[in-house]
């Protein structure tokens, strides 16, 4: 994994939610696409946070109606953003040090893709060539 660029592990296209989207809309998008998390973007499409299933579960345990709250009220700020050519091992190290599970992959100030801890683990276990 040392020299593998993080862009080779990313999921693209990115399914993102807007800061002002309702929690209900975020849930619907995540359910529709089978996502466990999504980046949260500002009006210009730049990543500002992350929302995960854990956040939604916590929201429903602690709050009210998902139609009355916006994503910006429950997401985590800021997301870890890395450049597309960053080594996967360096990204994994940052994720461990910062205790995070989700990364946004950027190129020239644009979101290219996303990577989760599961993607890194899968790459480590299976290997770049697809063999176990």
């Amino acid at each position: 994994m040392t020299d593998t660029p993080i862009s080779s592990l990313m999921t693209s296209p990115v399914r993102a939610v807007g800061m002002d989207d309702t929690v209900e809309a975020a849930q619907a998008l995540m359910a529709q696409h089978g996502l466990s998390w999504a980046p949260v973007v500002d009006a210009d499409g730049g990543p500002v946070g992350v929302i995960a299933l854990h956040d939604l579960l916590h929201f429903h345990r602690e709050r009210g109606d998902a139609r009355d709250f916006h994503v910006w009220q429950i997401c985590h700020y800021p997301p870890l953003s890395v450049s597309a050519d960053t080594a996967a091992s360096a990204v994994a190290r940052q994720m461990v040090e910062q205790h995070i599970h989700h990364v946004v992959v950027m190129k020239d100030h644009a979101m290219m893709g996303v990577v989760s801890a599961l993607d890194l683990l899968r790459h480590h276990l299976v290997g770049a060539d697809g063999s176990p």
Side-chain angles (χ1 to χ4, degrees), residues 27-69:
Q27 288 175 168
L29 176 98
M30 291 168 70
Q32 177 183 3
H33 296 286
L35 304 174
S36 62
W37 73 284
V40 177
V41 296
D42 61 19
D44 297 325
V48 295
V50 169
I51 188 168
L53 288 177
H54 174 78
D55 301 316
L56 296 173
L57 292 171
H58 180 76
F59 170 83
H60 285 291
R61 189 175 60 239
E62 303 292 324
R63 304 257 179 123
D65 192 334
R67 295 172 293 190
D68 297 334
F69 287 85

Side-chain angles (χ1 to χ4, degrees), residues 98-120:
Q98 295 182 32
H99 304 284
I100 60 171
H101 302 276
H102 312 102
V103 176
V104 177
V105 181
M106 304 289 291
K107 183 173 183 180
D108 300 327
H109 305 292
M111 221 176 359
M112 284 185 61
V114 294
V115 174
S116 71
L118 184 58
D119 296 323
L120 287 164

